Amino acid sequence: MVIKMSNQSLVSNTLYLIQASYSAAPMALSKLQQLYTAGDSVVFMGDAVMHASSGILQTLQNCFVLRNEQPLLNDSNHQIQLIDYDAFATLCLQYSRCISLK
């Protein structure tokens, strides 16, 4: 996936980084459900990737997982987009607000 930077201003929506441990991920996802609005993006990282197949994904539009963490991902989930570190950095730079849920 290629994410292009434009010359426009930063996106006013929020980028959520789900970095919770495996046991804390359900609570982080519950918090995400309360905060998420249309147009936001979510990146699952670390142990939280194993919860990326949660039912919450049905309501999320832009979900990402770093390509090197793909082995932790449920293969049946097609809503998740795999990105490399360059695309992750570009994604982070597009948002004026980033929230890490741990």
Side-chain angles (χ1 to χ4, degrees):
M1 171 179 198
V2 176
I3 300 174
K4 296 182 181 179
M5 284 289 295
S6 68
N7 293 332
Q8 299 176 356
S9 61
L10 297 174
V11 175
S12 62
N13 291 78
T14 303
L15 173 63
Y16 293 99
L17 304 178
I18 310 301
Q19 299 173 298
S21 67
Y22 183 81
S23 61
M27 184 181 292
L29 292 176
S30 175
K31 185 70 171 175
L32 176 65
Q33 277 187 302
Q34 297 170 11
L35 299 171
Y36 183 87
T37 60
D40 291 345
S41 291
V42 179
V43 179
F44 289 88
M45 304 174 83
D47 289 348
V49 172
M50 291 183 271
H51 286 279
S53 62
S54 169
I56 187 177
L57 290 178
Q58 303 304 319
T59 61
L60 305 179
Q61 298 171 347
N62 302 308
C63 296
F64 303 94
V65 166
L66 293 171
R67 189 171 306 283
N68 68 323
E69 294 178 339
Q70 182 179 9
L72 300 174
L73 188 61
N74 179 348
D75 292 333
S76 65
N77 192 332
H78 300 289
Q79 288 182 263
I80 298 282
Q81 300 174 54
L82 297 176
I83 57 174
D84 58 21
Y85 283 108
D86 290 339
F88 174 66
T90 302
L91 183 66
C92 289
L93 292 172
Q94 290 178 342
Y95 286 84
S96 59
R97 185 174 45 239
C98 180
I99 297 176
S100 176
L101 298 174
K102 296 180 181 181

